[in-house]
Amino acid sequence: MSAQMYTTLTEQQQGIVTISALTTTGDLEHLKVELNTALDAGVTINEIKEIMVQLYAYCGFPRSLNALGTFQVVLEERASKGITDSLGKEIILEKDTTDKYEQGRKVLEALTGIPQAKPASGFGEFSPRIDAFLKEHLFADIFDSDVLTYQQREMVTIAALASMDGVAPQLQAHIGMGMNTGITKNQLTEIFDLIEKHIGKNQADIARAVLAKIK
């Protein structure tokens, strides 16, 4: 599918989705190509760094670190050619927050539009430690950094989950959160078209089936 056929995703959004998917699957050869495409489209250096940092929570440190290493090489190669890329918004490493659990809980409420119990019912009651990590680290330390908007972060997460096996329930939850941030069904359809193009039809069809269940 050619780029012009994506009518609701901007070139920058396409870059975010593709980088997320290829980082998740560890396809560094194609990631290198798409990093150049995304930078040319105006995705900033710090936005791409933040995508890869966020993804460690979904695909693990090894693939996140490998993607960051590939990104370093891309930037060095571009600099050697005289290309100057936009650094973008400054990444703030830590916020002075006394209660990170509460900060993360509020972020999750904003994304879901649903009051969040403390601890989360089900898994949070069974394992309070993972509930604390989820709220304090993923949704406070990572999601609450404003280098990426909540909508951009949901695009990152949806692309990652759509590229992975066995995570349909989490994908469905994040599709809902993404729609709460303003991502449209047409945009989701185009995200899954990108998944088909860069990851595979089977993965895309699983994601499409999940989307079809959402009214």
Side-chain angles (χ1 to χ4, degrees):
M1 182 176 291
S2 64
Q4 11 334 2
M5 292 182 70
Y6 298 99
T7 58
T8 65
L9 291 176
T10 67
E11 289 186 357
Q12 291 88 351
Q13 289 170 331
Q14 291 173 48
I16 288 170
V17 168
T18 304
I19 289 169
S20 301
L22 294 172
T23 294
T24 299
T25 58
D27 186 348
L28 301 180
E29 180 181 352
H30 289 103
L31 176 62
K32 187 174 181 180
V33 174
E34 295 304 324
L35 284 168
N36 278 286
T37 300
L39 288 165
D40 289 340
V43 183
T44 71
I45 292 171
N46 281 345
E47 285 173 338
I48 293 173
K49 285 182 183 178
E50 197 70 6
I51 289 167
M52 293 171 176
V53 168
Q54 178 179 329
L55 284 172
Y56 105 81
Y58 294 96
C59 63
F61 270 120
R63 287 190 170 172
S64 177
L65 292 172
N66 288 345
L68 284 163
T70 300
F71 188 33
Q72 283 182 285
V73 171
V74 167
L75 291 175
E76 289 166 1
E77 290 177 349
R78 289 171 70 88
S80 72
K81 297 174 183 176
I83 300 171
T84 301
D85 293 300
S86 172
L87 185 61
K89 187 176 291 188
E90 179 184 1
I91 296 173
I92 299 173
L93 295 181
E94 187 173 347
K95 292 186 177 181
D96 184 16
T97 303
T98 55
D99 189 344
K100 283 192 174 181
Y101 186 98
E102 183 62 16
Q103 178 189 359
R105 192 182 68 79
K106 287 180 178 178
V107 170
L108 192 53
E109 283 188 341
L111 289 169
T112 61
I114 300 171
Q116 297 296 311
K118 179 182 180 179
S121 61
F123 75 87
E125 294 168 327
F126 182 67
S127 178
R129 187 165 164 79
I130 197 70
D131 184 50
F133 285 162
L134 188 74
K135 302 295 196 310
E136 295 176 11
H137 185 45
L138 178 59
F139 288 109
D141 288 335
I142 297 177
F143 260 69
D144 211 26
S145 165
D146 63 358
V147 174
L148 296 173
T149 66
Y150 286 166
Q151 183 179 100
Q152 289 172 318
R153 288 191 182 280
E154 284 304 325
M155 285 188 176
V156 170
T157 304
I158 290 166
L161 294 172
S163 302
M164 299 167 66
D165 292 323
V167 292
Q170 289 78 18
L171 176 59
Q172 182 170 339
H174 277 280
I175 287 174
M177 294 182 211
M179 293 177 76
N180 285 341
T181 69
I183 300 173
T184 67
K185 282 199 170 184
N186 284 341
Q187 287 176 316
L188 288 163
T189 297
E190 291 183 9
I191 287 171
F192 300 147
D193 289 344
L194 285 167
I195 296 301
E196 178 171 344
K197 176 181 177 182
H198 293 283
I199 307 303
K201 187 175 186 302
N202 183 60
Q203 287 300 130
D205 284 345
I206 291 170
R208 290 167 181 142
V210 173
L211 178 59
K213 295 178 182 178
I214 297 175
K215 302 300 181 183

